[in-house]
Amino acid sequence: MTTLKKAGFAAAGSLILTVLHILFTQLAYFTAYPDESEMLVAYNTFRHIIVSALIFISFYYSFVRVKTVYNTPLREKYLDAEGNIGMFSLFFSSFDFWTDIIVFSAVSLIGYGKAFSFVFDLFGEGGRLASLAVTLPVIAVVALLARFNATKIWNRTLENPESEELAQKEDNIGKKGHKPIKLMPTAPTFAAMRFIANNNSDSNPALENEQAAPFNYGISGMIKSYSLVLAIFVLCSMLGRLVYSLISLLLVPIFMISYAKYAATILFTVLVALPIIRLIKKLSKRASLISKTKKICRERKYKLTEIKAPFASIFSSIHGESFRITVDGKTFSCKFVSAKKPTLPIILREDGTGDILHSLTFLGIKWFERRKPFRFGYESINKQILIINPSAKFVCSEINGTLSELDNGDSVGNYIIYTAGGFVNALDREVLGVNDKEKYKYKYI
């Protein structure tokens, strides 16, 4: 495809995006607009602005994300690089990003007061440039975030190269493609004994054997994705007044608390502190593991290489090993894998791919499931060790469709699995890489 054609397709996509963006934002604005009685008592006079602003941001994000997922040249460029490509360079070099920004800027300037009414309400008659100075950075950030999250869909294909071909075949014969969620039909009865058994055992009903379907990049998949976005925002735009009223009702206690200065400060502090505390706990666990490992290596004269991305690997998977350690002439290649939350099960497979399982379970039944794929596999001539830190309560292997819970020292393909405590204990007891637990009886943490 020539550069001119690429630019033409990108411009056409940007025009469609902008037209729909205006349509849904304006629809939300007018359906949420207060009636005369509300205006007289100054009640809900900002409702239409808040509702249309939310639609303004969320629709742009959703549409751009879908548009990026089905951008074949961009997707092929990402897949050819096997994901090892700078996100900013990837998106800033695409026509889509710049045509979206240019078309939005032009419409905002030329159609000021008509394209996005809520913006005009906020900035007034003479706020044309000021409005663009505020909305353009917001749109740019939302666009980059949407495109970055689109790469998570591409990663599914990257982890399973045959999935795109399979999805295309299914699309051609009219079968169902990607299923973003899986819903279980309502059970006719709830078994009380099953509920009691599940809640008094270490089993996890979320860990059921279900294969993730390949993503459908075909025409039918694209039509379904766009149709879903349009249907959702038709509904949200038309019911903006109702949704706003319901949310306002739920937030009344918070608004009442906000009038109390100290109570509001405490509430805000708690909301901010909780994620910070969780992050500090993750960092401290990783720092403790590294410190104990280095201490043992110094005392036992083990050879330890420099640790690659010791803390960055908590947030995203790194390529290759994290470090190598040589114990009594045996060299082990070690890699950190981090659990997102202790309550989210991790599933590992022999081919070096895995899933983080998000599910909703109630009364021992799984009602909803979403798997987030990741890759931990890499090549090494040495025996390979995965250290899951921070760890999860449930770590399982999936072999031939069967799930089995893993313990310290168990293997998945070429990889021996340890938690932080298990790794340090095995290293200290000089049984690193040994699978015979009955013989060595070392303690697991």
Side-chain angles (χ1 to χ4, degrees):
M1 185 182 295
T2 65
T3 302
L4 187 60
K5 284 185 178 180
K6 289 181 180 179
F9 279 118
S14 298
L15 286 172
I16 294 173
L17 165 63
T18 304
V19 170
L20 292 174
H21 193 207
I22 294 171
L23 175 64
F24 286 116
T25 304
Q26 291 296 86
L27 178 61
Y29 178 88
F30 289 112
T31 54
Y33 200 87
D35 55 36
E36 186 176 349
S37 61
E38 290 177 316
M39 293 290 286
L40 288 174
V41 296
Y43 177 71
N44 277 339
T45 53
F46 288 98
R47 179 180 58 208
H48 56 300
I49 296 177
I50 294 173
V51 171
S52 53
L54 290 174
I55 295 294
F56 175 84
I57 292 173
S58 54
F59 176 79
Y60 200 88
Y61 168 86
S62 300
F63 196 92
V64 169
R65 183 175 179 272
V66 173
K67 189 158 70 94
T68 305
V69 167
Y70 291 96
N71 186 325
T72 302
L74 205 61
R75 182 174 74 248
E76 290 177 348
K77 185 176 180 180
Y78 181 85
L79 297 178
D80 288 344
E82 297 184 346
N84 296 317
I85 186 171
M87 293 293 107
F88 286 102
S89 61
L90 175 68
F91 298 133
F92 285 158
S93 63
S94 68
F95 285 107
D96 267 16
F97 177 81
W98 293 111
T99 54
D100 286 353
I101 293 298
I102 291 170
V103 171
F104 173 80
S105 301
V107 169
S108 297
L109 287 174
I110 297 171
Y112 182 69
K114 297 179 181 178
F116 302 106
S117 296
F118 83 97
V119 175
F120 183 82
D121 286 358
L122 288 172
F123 291 93
E125 185 69 37
R128 190 185 301 265
L129 293 178
S131 67
L132 185 62
V134 172
T135 56
L136 184 58
V138 171
I139 284 297
V141 171
V142 169
L144 287 173
L145 182 62
R147 286 173 167 84
F148 171 75
N149 284 331
T151 64
K152 296 179 180 180
I153 300 295
W154 297 342
N155 285 336
R156 299 182 190 178
T157 302
L158 196 60
E159 308 301 346
N160 183 12
E162 297 178 356
S163 65
E164 185 169 2
E165 181 181 352
L166 176 62
Q168 192 67 42
K169 288 180 180 178
E170 290 184 348
D171 184 55
N172 290 337
I173 61 177
K175 292 183 179 180
K176 292 184 179 180
H178 171 62
K179 297 178 182 178
I181 61 174
K182 208 157 202 175
L183 293 176
M184 177 179 289
T186 303
T189 59
F190 290 121
M193 291 305 296
R194 180 184 178 193
F195 169 67
I196 294 171
N198 284 333
N199 281 270
N200 290 276
S201 70
D202 290 329
S203 64
N204 191 326
L207 294 173
E208 293 184 6
N209 178 28
E210 295 186 23
Q211 297 291 334
F215 194 88
N216 186 353
Y217 292 111
I219 297 297
S220 67
M222 182 169 63
I223 292 173
K224 289 177 183 177
S225 297
Y226 278 116
S227 298
L228 181 62
V229 169
L230 296 178
I232 288 173
F233 281 95
V234 165
L235 187 64
C236 290
S237 298
M238 295 181 67
L239 300 180
R241 178 191 290 246
L242 175 62
V243 173
Y244 177 88
S245 299
L246 291 174
I247 294 175
S248 298
L249 183 63
L250 294 174
L251 294 179
V252 165
I254 296 178
F255 292 145
M256 292 176 66
I257 292 174
S258 67
Y259 285 103
K261 179 180 178 181
Y262 296 108
T265 302
I266 292 172
L267 177 64
F268 178 78
T269 302
V270 170
L271 293 176
V272 172
L274 287 176
I276 294 177
I277 290 172
R278 285 196 291 264
L279 175 59
I280 291 174
K281 287 176 65 177
K282 287 184 178 182
L283 295 174
S284 63
K285 287 181 180 179
R286 180 61 59 82
S288 175
L289 169 60
I290 293 172
S291 175
K292 290 177 181 178
T293 301
K294 289 182 176 179
K295 181 181 178 181
I296 294 174
C297 289
R298 284 196 304 269
E299 293 174 350
R300 306 291 178 85
K301 307 298 182 183
Y302 297 156
K303 184 179 179 182
L304 177 68
T305 64
E306 182 180 355
I307 298 176
K308 178 183 176 183
F311 296 105
S313 55
I314 292 176
F315 308 101
S316 62
S317 180
I318 63 170
H319 180 71
E321 65 186 21
S322 298
F323 63 91
R324 291 189 304 278
I325 187 170
T326 303
V327 180
D328 297 331
K330 296 181 181 179
T331 300
F332 298 91
S333 174
C334 305
K335 181 171 183 174
F336 293 128
V337 173
S338 175
K340 298 301 180 184
K341 290 182 181 179
T343 55
L344 296 180
I346 296 177
I347 299 173
L348 305 175
R349 289 183 283 271
E350 293 181 336
D351 61 357
T353 64
D355 290 321
I356 298 174
L357 186 61
H358 300 256
S359 66
L360 174 64
T361 60
F362 179 64
L363 295 177
I365 295 178
K366 179 170 59 176
W367 303 96
F368 167 88
E369 176 190 283
R370 179 174 66 88
R371 292 193 179 197
K372 182 179 180 181
F374 69 95
R375 170 171 286 277
F376 62 86
Y378 65 100
E379 298 294 331
S380 177
I381 60 174
N382 303 304
K383 183 172 286 189
Q384 294 165 293
I385 290 177
L386 286 186
I387 307 171
I388 303 179
N389 171 254
S391 189
K393 182 179 179 182
F394 295 95
V395 181
C396 300
S397 65
E398 186 176 41
I399 301 175
N400 297 326
T402 301
L403 291 177
S404 302
E405 193 169 349
L406 295 170
D407 199 354
N408 283 287
D410 287 342
S411 296
V412 177
N414 297 325
Y415 305 90
I416 303 174
I417 312 301
Y418 289 101
T419 62
F423 176 80
V424 170
N425 281 329
L427 185 62
D428 187 41
R429 296 170 182 265
E430 300 182 358
V431 292
L432 190 66
V434 175
N435 296 87
D436 193 346
K437 303 176 197 175
E438 292 299 321
K439 178 179 179 181
Y440 289 98
K441 299 267 185 197
Y442 57 87
K443 181 182 178 182
Y444 299 117
I445 297 178

